[in-house]
Amino acid sequence: MENEKLTKYKDKRDFVTTPEPEEGSGPQAHTFVVQRHQASHLHFDFRLEMGGTLKSWAVPKGPPSQPKEKRLAVAVEDHPLAYAGFEGVIPEGQYGAGTVEIWDKGTYEAVKPDDPEAQLESGKFSFVLKGERLKGLFALVKTAYSSKSWLLIMKEKAR
Ligand code: MN
């Protein structure tokens, strides 16, 4: 069905000659979520949908809200995509026992759409957040201190 919709577009072009794309999805919006997690220590869990899971960081002080603000973000294990919709109480005795609330949710787009996972692997990833609270250009940058320590930086606020 997808292809049928593009028949007119394709008929008009010779893709051997023109540099225009024949098909493909182009830059894509993916889900991000921030969960306020009142566990033994209050923190915010920042998660980006990538490669079929949610890449996750625990941000003790919460995400930055002003340009040039940086917040420590500790990389934690990937979470399943379904976790982006999770709110509730993790029972006493379970890992992360406490209350989880969705603090913000929306979509993000990588500034460079090519292979976001490789960008993360290299220690720097820039992206635009379109949430209810968080809107603008952000970056995650790995610090030299440890492989788990990152900075979540707000670069520009969306108008
Ligand atoms: Mn947590």
Side-chain angles (χ1 to χ4, degrees):
M1 292 304 272
E2 277 284 292
N3 289 351
E4 256 170 58
K5 289 184 192 167
L6 293 174
T7 303
K8 260 188 192 171
Y9 171 88
K10 289 182 178 178
D11 283 351
K12 289 179 181 172
R13 291 165 173 82
D14 173 8
F15 293 101
V16 175
T17 309
T18 179
E20 295 167 292
E22 184 171 359
E23 50 196 302
S25 51
Q28 265 190 317
H30 296 281
T31 298
F32 86 92
V33 66
V34 181
Q35 282 149 323
R36 185 181 185 279
H37 188 179
Q38 179 64 71
S40 51
H41 296 280
L42 174 67
H43 61 274
F44 292 74
D45 290 302
F46 182 80
R47 310 189 197 278
L48 298 174
E49 177 198 351
M50 195 182 289
T53 59
L54 294 172
K55 298 287 171 195
S56 300
W57 292 260
V59 184
K61 293 187 175 172
S65 60
Q66 296 300 323
K68 293 181 184 168
E69 272 183 9
K70 299 172 185 189
R71 295 288 167 80
L72 174 68
V74 181
V76 298
E77 72 275 21
D78 290 8
H79 279 50
L81 293 179
Y83 211 94
F86 176 71
E87 289 190 297
V89 176
I90 303 170
E92 206 65 31
Q94 290 295 303
Y95 184 78
T99 305
V100 176
E101 293 170 317
I102 293 175
W103 183 83
D104 198 13
K105 194 175 177 180
T107 59
Y108 81 91
E109 276 180 35
V111 170
K112 294 181 217 155
D114 243 31
D115 206 346
E117 283 174 282
Q119 295 176 52
L120 264 191
E121 196 74 21
S122 79
K124 187 171 182 202
F125 182 55
S126 299
F127 49 94
V128 174
L129 294 181
K130 294 176 185 172
E132 294 297 321
R133 295 177 191 247
L134 299 176
K135 299 172 203 274
L137 176 63
F138 290 74
L140 274 162
V141 180
K142 202 184 259 183
T143 71
Y145 306 117
S146 95
S147 60
K148 301 278 178 211
S149 292
W150 293 67
L151 291 172
L152 177 59
I153 305 167
M154 185 178 209
K155 299 276 194 182
E156 286 170 32
K157 202 168 195 165
R159 296 185 196 186

